[in-house]
Amino acid sequence: MEFDPDARIDHGAPLSPYRQLAGILAARIGRGDWQPNRAIPSESQLVQEYGLARATVRRAIAVLVDQDVLFVVPQRGTFVKPATEG
C-alpha cells in the first residue's frame, strides 16, 4: 500500500492509526526527509505532529524496526537504517 508522505492520520479509515503512521513515516524516508544513519523526530515530536498517543507512535516505530527500515539506539533515538547492498 502506497502512502502520501504528507498525509494526515484518518481515524475513520479501516487501517489502524499505527499502520497509517508507519506507512507515512516510510514514505517520508523514501522521499528523503531523513537520511540513513540519521535520527527521525522523537516520539514526543511525532505525538505532537500527528496527534496520536505515545503508545501508537511506539507501535508504528516497532513496525518499521521489524521491517528493517529503522533501528533504535538506546538513549540516542530512532535512526533510518542504511539500505543494504545486494
Side-chain angles (χ1 to χ4, degrees):
M1 177 176 244
E2 289 288 319
F3 284 87
D4 177 358
D6 297 315
R8 305 307 304 162
I9 301 299
D10 179 359
H11 293 280
L15 195 61
S16 62
Y18 83 92
R19 290 267 181 210
Q20 291 178 56
L21 181 58
I24 292 167
L25 295 178
R28 291 183 67 183
I29 291 166
R31 180 172 70 184
D33 288 8
W34 307 299
Q35 297 302 311
N37 289 317
R38 295 291 175 208
I40 66 168
S42 69
E43 288 178 1
S44 296
Q45 290 170 312
L46 293 172
V47 164
Q48 288 293 321
E49 182 175 351
Y50 291 99
L52 297 169
R54 185 177 294 268
T56 303
V57 170
R58 282 187 180 154
R59 197 164 178 193
I61 289 170
V63 167
L64 295 176
V65 168
D66 287 346
Q67 294 175 352
D68 270 348
V69 175
L70 299 174
F71 66 98
V72 177
V73 178
Q75 307 300 315
R76 295 284 299 144
T78 303
F79 295 79
V80 177
K81 192 165 191 175
T84 55
E85 300 287 326

